């Protein structure tokens, strides 16, 4: 067994094009570290609808140049098999460790396979890549990013020519082509032949950002902005300057791209502590709102002053605010969200007489909704310009929420005042999440099995009126690994995360509100119900 493991590692080492991972692997082989070799050679990183994502390092279970070259060769073969062998593939990348190398390798493989390749001029937000695919008429796009994962991770996200991320069966088709790559020596990788794009594509993206705002709208709201050590700063500042907003106050410690993310445990605005420096800056400068992007700037977080201090708005709160703003502007088209997001969007759309659709989790599904005008997901993802970017976009979302804050400011009101209005009109929709990060993935499988075998009949004292196993699909949704419980005045969805070792439980309660004076009581009721749901669900799942 050990001999076979060493032989596999040596075969991999012989082909590895990267000096760093070669040295790392050679040391493991020399040390006879069988446990670590088994962890790296016990399988291969699976290519799925999120593409690839994993820890950097040597071996097929890690993100490295060998894995990326195979993935690129698989994608090229997939495109050629579909008659797109002379098409253009656009490649973008963030500022993480190895991202530029992975982007260059991808361009080289595409060129070697006879496709045309173009690489964005420098590390730029993921939405710029999603825009470039449609803008340049590409047959596919690749973004090298691990979004808001820990510093040691990187990833590989694939888009097809419609500018949205891949969904089944394309993922399985590409995965099969990747598996068919037997040896790296069979993959031609010329040293040149691809294009490095100029600023034109970024300028075209920025020109579209203007289109998300109303002509002549107020542009007075003052912001504090953090790029969370990612690539959002320069593009966001350019977009805000074009729009005529006051220049955002930067969180200096997090403004420059830094793949080590030194000031945060996890570079995700939703994680505890990630916004502390932004809040400190806000206390100092008293802006109207705080805006944060995640490291690849496809997500947008918003914080407001609530009483004497600052608090993050939930993704569902921002989702409802943006929807209300768009409705008041008279937009037409379909509003869409994923099943784990608040049901409030459906009520807003219904009252406005707009079509509404619910999709599986992920913008790869939301972006495919026919006639999409606005889509959002509770994990801070908002698509406010689907004609330009068929994906979540943290830059245009930041512009739109700042426009809304400016409109309200002109009326002497705030985002929180509008949230109160929405609660009185549609009921208080309060959401929370129970998220359990695990070392051992079997904990997640055990919890899902337990819930399937013994589904709860009551949660938080409320009867479960409907229990659905989403692996069977529904009238409107394809199958997915998840469970949905409908209760009288509440809803719970449980699913394994697609990108991290987490079990995620999404909780929502709806409390009717007759008048604004009833809001404080409704909030207490909602808070108590959410706490009880969390407790009861933890017990039922055994986590």
């Amino acid at each position: 067994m050990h001999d076979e493991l060493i032989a596999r590692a040596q075969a991999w080492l012989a082909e590895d094009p990267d000096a760093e991972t070669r040295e790392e692997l050679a040391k493991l082989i020399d040390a006879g570290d069988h446990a670590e070799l088994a962890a790296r050679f016990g399988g291969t990183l699976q290519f799925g609808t999120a593409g690839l994502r994993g820890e950097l390092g040597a071996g097929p279970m890690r993100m490295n140049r060998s894995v990326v070259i195979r993935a690129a060769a698989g994608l090229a073969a997939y495109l050629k098999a579909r008659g797109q062998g002379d098409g253009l593939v656009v490649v973008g990348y963030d500022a993480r460790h190895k991202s530029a190398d992975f982007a260059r390798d991808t361009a080289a493989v595409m060129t070697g396979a006879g496709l045309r390749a173009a690489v964005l001029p420098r590390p730029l937000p993921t939405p710029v890549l999603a825009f470039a695919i449609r803008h340049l008429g590409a047959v596919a796009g690749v973004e090298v990013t691990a979004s808001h994962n820990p510093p040691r991770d990187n990833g590989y996200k694939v888009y097809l020519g419609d500018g949205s991320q891949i969904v089944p069966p394309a993922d399985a088709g590409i995965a099969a082509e990747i598996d068919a790559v037997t040896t790296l020596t069979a993959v031609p990788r010329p040293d040149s032949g691809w294009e490095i794009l100029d600023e034109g594509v970024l300028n075209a993206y920025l020109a579209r950002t203007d289109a998300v705002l109303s002509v002549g709208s107020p542009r007075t709201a003052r912001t504090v902005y953090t790029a969370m050590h990612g690539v959002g700063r320069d593009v966001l500042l350019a977009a805000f300057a074009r729009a005529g907003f006051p220049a955002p106050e930067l969180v200096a410690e997090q403004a420059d791209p830094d793949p080590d993310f030194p000031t945060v445990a996890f570079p995700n605005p939703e994680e505890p502590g990630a916004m502390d420096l932004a809040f400190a800056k806000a206390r100092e400068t008293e802006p109207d709102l705080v805006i944060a992007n995640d490291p690849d700037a496809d997500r947008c977080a918003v914080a407001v002053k609530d009483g004497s201090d600052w608090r993050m708005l939930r993704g569902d709160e921002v989702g409802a605010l943006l929807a209300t703003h768009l409705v008041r502007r008279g937009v037409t088209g379909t509003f869409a969200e994923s099943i784990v997001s608040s049901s409030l969007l459906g009520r807003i759309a219904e009252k406005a007489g707009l079509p509404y659709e619910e999709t599986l989790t992920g913008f790869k599904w939301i972006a495919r909704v026919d006639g999409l005008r606005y889509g959002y997901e509770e994990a801070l993802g908002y698509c406010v310009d689907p004609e330009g970017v068929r994906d979540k976009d943290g830059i245009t979302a930041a512009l739109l929420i700042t426009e809304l804050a400016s409109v309200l400011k002109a009326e002497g009101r705030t985002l929180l005042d509008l949230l109160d209005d929405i609660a009185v009109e549609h009921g208080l929709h309060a959401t929370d999440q129970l998220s359990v990060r695990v070392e051992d993935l079997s904990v997640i499988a055990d919890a899902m099995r337990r819930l399937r075998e013994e589904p709860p009949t009551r949660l938080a004292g409320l009867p479960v009126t409907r229990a659905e196993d989403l692996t069977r699909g529904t009238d409107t949704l394809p199958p997915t690994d998840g469970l949905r419980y409908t209760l009288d005045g509440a809803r719970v969805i449980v699913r394994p995360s697609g990108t991290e070792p987490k079990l995620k439980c999404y909780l929502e309660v709806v409390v009717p509100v007759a008048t604004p004076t009833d809001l404080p009581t409704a909030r207490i009721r909602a808070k108590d119900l959410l706490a009880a749901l969390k407790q009861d669900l933890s017990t039922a799942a055994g986590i």
Side-chain angles (χ1 to χ4, degrees):
M1 178 68 186
H2 286 168
D3 291 349
E4 186 195 331
L5 191 60
I6 295 287
R8 280 218 304 278
Q10 284 170 334
W12 184 275
L13 179 64
E15 287 192 346
D16 191 334
D18 189 88
E20 212 173 300
T21 43
R22 274 204 312 275
E23 184 184 348
E24 181 188 318
L25 185 52
K27 281 180 179 169
L28 291 175
I29 294 169
D30 290 346
D33 190 341
H34 296 118
E36 186 60 29
L37 288 169
R40 289 158 182 256
F41 288 85
T44 55
L45 273 188
Q46 289 306 298
F47 186 92
T49 52
L52 292 165
R53 204 178 281 187
E55 193 177 332
L56 289 162
M61 289 294 285
R62 297 285 185 269
M63 281 298 294
N64 51 63
R65 291 182 59 202
S66 298
V67 163
V68 164
I69 290 164
R70 282 182 165 81
L75 174 59
Y78 175 85
L79 294 170
K80 288 170 83 168
R82 275 148 192 79
Q84 297 175 317
D86 57 352
L88 173 69
V89 179
V90 192
V91 186
Y93 58 104
D94 67 12
R96 282 177 179 266
H97 292 297
K98 296 288 186 188
S99 288
D101 293 344
F102 294 168
R104 180 188 160 86
D105 281 332
T106 301
V109 171
M110 295 302 161
T111 305
L115 287 124
R116 291 177 294 125
V119 183
L120 293 183
R122 59 180 178 281
L124 285 167
T126 294
V128 177
L129 181 273
F131 166 81
I133 295 164
R134 289 162 70 84
H135 178 66
L136 299 171
V139 295
V142 171
E143 176 69 20
V144 180
T145 181
S147 189
H148 55 270
N149 273 38
R152 64 178 183 273
D153 289 4
N154 213 328
Y156 198 81
K157 193 187 279 194
V158 175
Y159 297 74
L160 292 180
D162 61 355
S164 55
Q165 296 172 50
I166 54 169
V167 295
D171 57 340
I174 297 167
E177 295 286 5
I178 294 169
D179 289 344
V181 180
T182 51
T183 168
L184 288 193
T185 52
V187 181
R189 279 186 298 130
D191 290 330
S192 61
W194 57 89
E195 182 185 359
I196 304 291
L197 292 164
D198 61 18
E199 297 300 304
V201 71
L202 178 60
N203 292 336
Y205 167 82
L206 285 167
R208 269 211 75 97
T209 64
D210 301 349
V212 305
L213 303 174
S214 294
V215 176
S217 63
R219 310 276 167 97
T220 56
R222 292 172 50 250
T223 55
V224 157
Y225 171 71
T226 174
M228 207 66 70
H229 299 298
V231 297
R233 178 193 59 200
D234 293 350
V235 178
L236 182 127
L237 290 179
F240 269 57
R242 287 178 70 106
F245 287 112
E249 291 271 2
L250 298 180
V251 178
E253 302 93 327
Q254 299 175 333
D256 293 327
D258 187 332
D260 294 319
F261 305 104
T263 67
V264 289
F266 287 94
N268 177 355
E270 292 179 295
E271 292 281 349
M275 295 289 284
D276 288 357
L277 288 170
F279 292 162
K281 187 74 176 176
R283 291 182 200 109
E284 188 190 307
T285 57
E286 292 294 325
D288 297 299
L289 68 164
V290 174
I291 294 204
N293 286 139
D294 66 338
D296 69 325
D298 61 353
R299 287 175 168 79
C300 176
V302 180
V304 294
K305 194 162 190 186
D306 189 359
S308 62
D309 209 358
W310 290 81
R311 80 164 173 96
M312 271 268 291
L313 294 179
R314 291 193 163 276
D316 286 317
E317 291 176 307
V318 177
L321 287 167
L322 291 175
T324 302
H325 184 42
L326 290 169
V327 164
R328 289 180 175 181
R329 278 177 32 181
V331 304
T332 56
T334 302
F335 280 21
E337 65 181 338
S338 61
I339 55 170
V340 298
S341 306
S342 171
S343 58
L344 176 56
L345 186 68
R347 297 199 183 191
I348 292 169
E350 186 182 10
K351 186 144 191 188
L354 293 172
Y356 164 78
E357 275 199 44
E358 207 178 41
T359 73
L360 292 185
T361 311
F363 263 83
K364 55 184 175 278
W365 299 107
I366 295 170
R368 284 185 156 66
V369 167
D370 280 344
L372 180 68
R373 176 58 186 83
Y374 168 64
Y376 98 91
E377 188 154 75
E378 54 69 49
L380 313 183
Y382 313 93
C383 174
V384 300
D385 176 26
E387 285 307 301
V389 176
R390 282 207 164 266
D391 198 3
K392 54 189 178 291
D393 182 346
I395 306 293
T396 48
L399 287 170
L400 199 61
I401 198 74
T402 308
E403 178 184 61
L404 173 57
S406 301
V407 170
L408 292 166
K409 188 179 182 176
E411 299 167 358
R413 306 176 75 238
T414 67
L415 295 173
L416 290 179
D417 294 328
L418 181 53
L419 281 172
D420 287 352
D421 294 351
I422 292 168
V424 173
E425 188 174 357
H426 301 287
L428 177 66
H429 289 62
T431 56
D432 202 357
Q433 205 184 107
L434 172 63
S435 183
V436 184
R437 188 180 287 271
V438 300
E439 291 294 323
D440 179 1
L441 288 175
S442 69
V443 173
I444 294 176
D446 289 345
M448 295 297 287
R449 190 182 66 245
R450 184 169 169 160
L451 288 169
R452 283 190 170 102
E453 288 172 1
E454 297 173 44
T457 54
R458 290 180 83 79
L459 292 167
L462 304 171
V464 176
T465 55
R466 190 171 178 204
E468 297 168 277
D469 185 343
L470 299 176
T471 49
R472 301 191 181 108
T474 72
D475 293 347
T476 54
L477 297 170
T480 186
D481 186 8
L483 300 162
R484 178 163 61 181
Y485 303 112
T486 307
L487 300 94
D488 194 7
R491 186 203 66 194
V492 172
I493 291 171
V494 185
R495 61 178 278 273
S497 167
T499 54
E500 297 175 275
K502 281 182 175 180
L503 181 69
K504 291 188 161 184
C505 311
Y506 303 85
L507 320 172
E508 178 176 42
V509 299
V510 184
V511 181
V513 183
T515 67
T517 52
D518 297 323
L519 270 168
T521 317
R523 285 206 177 90
I524 292 165
R525 169 76 177 145
K527 193 176 177 184
D528 291 347
L529 276 173
L530 285 169
L533 274 179
K534 253 185 192 181
Q535 185 59 52
D536 292 357
L537 191 62
S538 294
T539 306
I543 50 175

